[in-house]
Amino acid sequence: MFKFKEIADPTSQPLYLYENFRQAADASPDSVIHLDAPLSAYPEIGLHVTYSEAADAVARRGEQFIAQGIEPGDHVVIYKSALFDSYLLAVAVSYAGAVPVMISPHLDAQTVTVMAARLKQPWLVFDAATGEKAAAITSVDETRKLTTQVIRDSVVDTAQGPGRKPGVGEIAYMTHTSGTTGIPKFIAHSPTSMGWRVTWQRRVLKFVDRQGLVAFHVSPVHSRFNIGIASLMSYGFSFLNIGDPREDNVEALLRQYRPLALESHPNHLVRWTSIVDRDPSVFASVQYVHSTFDAVNKGTMLKYLNASEQPDPVYLQVYGQSECGPMVVRANTRELLRHSDARGMGYGMPNFTEVRIVDENGDPLPPGRQGIIEMSSRGRAVTYYGEEERFEKNLRDGWWNSGDQGEIGPDGQLSLHDRQVDLIDDVKSTLAIEDVLLDKLDFLNEVVLVRTADGDPQPVISVADGHEMDWDAWWACVADMPRLEAPVILPFEKFPRTATMKIQRNRLEELLRREVTRAA
């Protein structure tokens, strides 16, 4: 199985959003960024823009931010439609020397009000998609709320040039947690922490032909987006940003652009298997599929690998967390998946990232014992901004408590079993059960195991478009599993999700309990 070679004394360069964007544009001016929709904050760039043209546009917006009164060190919330210009605005904020604070447009005004109150006199940038919610955010002064239209129309009398950069260890960029268990926490990143993540990613990208096109659909407010773009641009890749993940749009784009590599969140990749089922040729050009920061079932991986007509296709599964960045990687091939399951997440990158398993007291456990997954990463974030104590409580001698349960096998490979908060009595791994059900029952496109009010395992499932529920196949499949409640069937769109399409299991449990109470 693939493992990275150890680098005895690795080095990294700090990541400054604008500076690195401009350096990439100077090195590869004619590389192209392709988009699937016009950008309200950058209408002048159209659907195809070179690195050089994009860098010039970003600098113009940076000067317009300065003209609006934004100064080095200011917190600038980007709260707009989930398109590529969210990232370009963040780079422009960085040009001004300010700190971009990325907030998902899926969050409501009440939640964003609580989050913004943690910041220092923040600015708020929004567009038509979030305008109504932005108006209801009470923790941002009205004079510091800016529409993308106002920014575009700002008059720059005299260009100021890039603002003062933060120090290498200072906070330069903020994202937030998924909020699956409450109000999201701000994750603060420094140029140093982001630089190490880019160095990690570049070691993965060096295996990909730089003449090939990379396509991706990743939430622009996720920490992965910034690192992914910076890594791609450092090598000069041309790339396609898929803003609209609906199946008809994805299919049309892949037919048009024929990308060599494709990345998205696991749940999007699961959903897109309906395209693979209809016409595998849509993915014939794709040699590398990459799922971000989470596990995916074996059947999904095999569908993409079997659809590829490229030599030696790879499904790259990366496990990590926003607080630590990418941690563990496994390069899945058709042959490897014939002899293994999807719970194996792979290995860390020596001297960059490492994982261990500990008990509740923090004592390391031997191979084969299930326990808490702890992470050590050079790219670990600085803190939770405004909630520093919560961040420190999650650290133990430099090791980060991931909140996940798993084990390390005799060969050193990490297996992921569950989130600690999702553990169900007498069930070793809810994720393993979900994998088996998705792999064996091809009429399903979502399976989530949650708890009833009594703590029993409750499957919640979605039937794929064009299929019907096969009850005989269901009961035959679960016969040898721990006792499960009869499944609840929901439309795929009704599952509560985060901005990165992760299921919000606690909200799903609450939803089901409310329905039971109403029925009673």
Side-chain angles (χ1 to χ4, degrees):
M1 186 181 293
F2 173 82
K3 295 182 183 179
F4 282 101
K5 294 180 180 178
E6 181 173 354
I7 297 177
D9 190 19
T11 59
S12 179
Q13 295 298 315
L15 173 65
Y16 291 97
L17 271 67
Y18 174 72
E19 183 177 278
N20 288 70
F21 198 102
R22 174 58 75 181
Q23 288 173 352
D26 290 344
S28 306
D30 298 325
S31 293
V32 180
I33 302 168
H34 303 282
L35 307 166
D36 63 344
L39 304 177
S40 66
Y42 290 84
E44 70 270 32
I45 70 176
L47 298 180
H48 313 280
V49 61
T50 65
Y51 280 15
S52 180
E53 292 166 341
D56 290 343
V58 163
R60 287 195 297 273
R61 290 295 176 276
E63 290 290 344
Q64 289 171 315
F65 275 129
I66 294 171
Q68 284 292 330
I70 291 174
E71 299 179 349
D74 283 358
H75 291 163
V76 182
V77 172
I78 309 295
Y79 179 57
K80 60 171 294 298
S81 50
L83 294 172
F84 191 72
D85 50 353
S86 296
Y87 175 70
L88 293 180
L89 286 171
V91 180
V93 168
S94 174
Y95 175 99
V99 179
V101 182
M102 314 302 289
I103 295 186
S104 169
H106 295 90
L107 296 178
D108 60 34
Q110 184 178 4
T111 300
V112 179
T113 294
V114 175
M115 295 173 69
R118 299 172 186 154
L119 303 172
K120 296 184 304 182
Q121 295 183 299
W123 297 81
L124 178 71
V125 177
F126 62 96
D127 63 3
T130 54
E132 186 174 334
K133 291 190 286 188
I137 295 169
T138 58
S139 56
V140 178
D141 190 281
E142 291 299 319
T143 64
R144 296 170 83 86
K145 293 181 180 179
L146 302 173
T147 67
T148 53
Q149 179 73 48
V150 166
I151 297 164
R152 293 201 323 259
D153 293 344
S154 298
V155 176
V156 177
D157 294 325
T158 304
Q160 301 297 308
R164 176 184 56 80
K165 297 188 302 184
V168 294
E170 295 178 356
I171 295 171
Y173 188 69
M174 289 193 230
T175 56
H176 62 76
T177 60
S178 60
T180 54
T181 57
I183 300 293
K185 301 178 286 290
F186 281 126
I187 305 173
H189 309 273
S190 71
T192 295
S193 68
M194 292 188 291
W196 279 112
R197 297 187 189 195
V198 169
T199 302
W200 192 101
Q201 181 66 40
R202 280 173 54 85
R203 291 195 70 193
V204 175
L205 281 173
K206 72 179 183 179
F207 297 103
V208 181
D209 182 356
R210 295 177 203 176
Q211 299 306 307
L213 182 78
V214 176
F216 58 89
H217 172 75
V218 176
S219 168
V221 303
H222 194 282
S223 60
R224 168 69 192 138
F225 197 96
N226 172 35
I227 301 308
I229 299 300
S231 303
L232 288 172
M233 291 186 68
S234 72
Y235 276 136
F237 279 98
S238 290
F239 59 86
L240 164 67
N241 179 75
I242 302 173
D244 179 358
R246 288 177 296 183
E247 293 167 43
D248 57 347
N249 185 57
V250 172
E251 180 173 350
L253 290 171
L254 296 188
R255 289 188 186 281
Q256 178 182 354
Y257 288 98
R258 312 310 294 173
L260 181 67
L262 174 67
E263 176 179 354
S264 191
H265 310 290
N267 280 306
H268 278 117
L269 290 165
V270 171
R271 190 74 191 271
W272 294 344
T273 56
S274 62
I275 308 174
V276 185
D277 292 339
R278 285 196 308 270
D279 187 356
S281 70
V282 174
F283 297 89
S285 68
V286 179
Q287 186 174 13
Y288 304 97
V289 181
H290 179 186
S291 62
T292 305
F293 282 21
D294 211 347
V296 72
N297 63 301
K298 181 165 70 172
T300 293
M301 290 189 276
L302 281 171
K303 284 187 177 184
Y304 286 100
L305 293 174
N306 290 332
S308 176
E309 295 180 3
Q310 297 297 310
D312 304 317
V314 171
Y315 191 112
L316 200 67
Q317 194 168 15
V318 175
Y319 167 70
Q321 288 191 340
S322 296
E323 292 88 344
C324 291
M327 291 294 305
V328 168
V329 61
R330 175 164 135 158
N332 292 288
T333 63
R334 298 171 187 140
E335 182 64 25
L336 177 62
L337 288 173
R338 289 193 185 98
H339 306 290
S340 62
D341 62 37
R343 290 299 97 217
M345 302 305 297
Y347 305 88
M349 190 178 289
N351 286 330
F352 284 82
T353 58
E354 183 181 358
V355 294
R356 69 178 185 180
I357 306 297
V358 301
D359 62 19
E360 293 181 354
N361 298 317
D363 295 323
L365 293 173
R369 288 277 303 280
Q370 178 168 321
I372 300 165
I373 301 173
E374 290 193 335
M375 302 174 168
S376 175
S377 170
R378 290 180 183 264
R380 193 183 72 224
V382 177
T383 191
Y384 289 145
Y385 188 85
E387 299 180 276
E388 288 78 8
E389 286 187 9
R390 293 184 70 177
F391 192 88
E392 293 302 318
K393 285 180 180 178
N394 220 50
L395 282 170
R396 182 176 13 226
D397 298 326
W399 289 87
W400 177 260
N401 184 333
S402 70
D404 290 338
Q405 287 269 322
E407 64 182 76
I408 292 179
D411 63 346
Q413 180 177 200
L414 174 70
S415 290
L416 175 64
H417 292 165
D418 273 317
R419 290 289 294 167
Q420 292 177 46
V421 296
D422 298 327
L423 292 173
I424 300 176
D425 290 344
D426 301 322
V427 176
K428 181 179 181 180
S429 172
T430 60
L431 298 178
I433 291 176
E434 292 167 3
D435 284 348
V436 170
L437 292 171
L438 277 174
D439 287 342
K440 291 188 175 181
L441 304 177
D442 59 6
F443 54 87
L444 300 180
N445 63 0
E446 188 67 272
V447 177
V448 181
L449 211 59
V450 294
R451 293 163 295 212
T452 67
D454 296 326
D456 297 321
Q458 171 66 67
V460 188
I461 63 177
S462 171
V463 178
D465 295 341
H467 293 266
E468 294 182 356
M469 180 64 186
D470 186 335
W471 288 104
D472 290 339
W474 171 270
W475 292 117
C477 191
V478 301
D480 295 328
M481 294 181 178
R483 189 190 70 80
L484 306 178
E485 297 292 314
V488 173
I489 302 175
L490 289 180
F492 187 88
E493 295 78 13
K494 294 295 184 182
F495 285 77
R497 299 177 187 274
T498 68
T500 58
M501 291 295 285
K502 286 186 178 181
I503 300 294
Q504 294 177 302
R505 292 174 186 257
N506 61 331
R507 286 189 57 198
L508 182 58
E509 288 180 349
E510 292 170 4
L511 174 67
L512 296 177
R513 289 169 190 173
R514 284 201 302 269
E515 292 298 322
V516 169
T517 302
R518 247 197 309 269

